[in-house]
Amino acid sequence: MPTLSPRRIVGITGSNEKTTTTSLIEHILKNSGFSTLLAGNIGTPLIDVVEQTTDQNITVAELSSFQLELIETFRSNISVF
């Protein structure tokens, strides 16, 4: 299936603590020397950062179950539940 972007995306979902987990993962990646983009329910819509993605960065996205329920083509490279 095609993905939203050919770039690297970490998608975080679940019942509780999505924002905390998303922020923590982005913080760890950034402080490990990776270029990151933070998006999804945490503030910036994921669609707004798609054109900013490169082979050099990782998008960390908070995703709600409501967003994922009817989605057909989006696939994150790494999923956290």
Side-chain angles (χ1 to χ4, degrees):
M1 293 214 114
T3 60
L4 178 65
S5 167
R7 311 304 184 199
R8 298 178 290 183
I9 299 174
V10 178
I12 295 99
T13 192
S15 299
N16 297 307
E17 303 299 327
K18 289 184 296 295
T19 300
T20 301
T21 304
T22 303
S23 297
L24 178 63
I25 290 171
E26 191 271 341
H27 178 78
I28 290 168
L29 289 170
K30 184 175 276 186
N31 284 286
S32 296
F34 292 95
S35 174
T36 61
L37 296 168
L38 188 61
N41 287 4
I42 200 161
T44 304
L46 185 55
I47 195 71
D48 287 353
V49 300
V50 170
E51 291 184 1
Q52 298 172 35
T53 62
T54 69
D55 291 334
Q56 304 304 310
N57 60 28
I58 300 171
T59 301
V60 183
E62 178 182 347
L63 307 168
S64 76
S65 61
F66 300 107
Q67 292 169 316
L68 297 171
E69 184 176 7
L70 300 175
I71 222 152
E72 294 180 19
T73 59
F74 172 78
R75 300 290 183 266
S76 59
N77 303 95
I78 297 173
S79 299
V80 179
F81 178 75

